Amino acid sequence: RTLYNHFAVSGEHRAPGAPLAPDGGPLRSMEAKDEHGRVFNRQHDAEFKLLSGFCTAHMASQSSASFVGATGTLWSRKPLCASCLGAVRQVRGMFPQLDLSVSVGALSSSENGGSCA
């Protein structure tokens, strides 16, 4: 059974995919540098949106089932910033039985069904 399967694009305005992470959401973001050295709150990063969306979906499902044997993968085109790494740690702490992996880089054609994403 799939609980959450979504994509996101970083950004606050008109970014497709997963919605913005709510201010009072289940995860806490922090300020971190981007690849140009600019520091800002990373609440609108794609990875943070997806992890927040996963947590929200789990809470909305009101499932009392454990995550024993469950797996999840967060894929990111770029290396995760300190804030998104912190969000991964928060999710792992909230769901210790979930085997959450992080994959960084381009997907191979066999992983994405031969299409370009």
Side-chain angles (χ1 to χ4, degrees):
R1 173 175 99 94
T2 300
L3 176 65
Y4 188 75
N5 183 16
H6 220 303
F7 80 98
V9 175
S10 294
E12 185 175 3
H13 304 288
R14 293 184 287 215
L20 297 176
D23 287 332
L27 303 177
R28 300 291 165 247
S29 63
M30 62 183 221
E31 291 188 347
K33 289 183 182 180
D34 67 8
E35 64 268 18
H36 305 290
R38 298 174 296 205
V39 176
F40 57 94
N41 187 300
R42 304 306 286 259
Q43 180 179 358
H44 305 301
D45 281 9
E47 300 85 359
F48 192 84
K49 291 179 189 180
L50 290 169
L51 292 167
S52 294
F54 168 78
C55 292
T56 301
H58 175 67
M59 290 185 290
S61 74
Q62 298 178 347
S63 172
S64 61
S66 73
F67 282 116
V68 173
T71 62
T73 301
L74 174 67
W75 175 77
S76 178
R77 190 170 52 91
K78 298 179 180 181
L80 273 58
C81 69
S83 181
C84 292
L85 285 171
V88 168
R89 283 191 295 275
Q90 291 173 62
V91 170
R92 287 178 173 155
M94 293 168 72
F95 308 109
Q97 296 176 330
L98 172 66
D99 181 14
L100 177 62
S101 64
V102 177
S103 180
V104 177
L107 291 175
S108 71
S109 60
S110 64
E111 290 174 299
N112 67 8
S115 64
C116 294

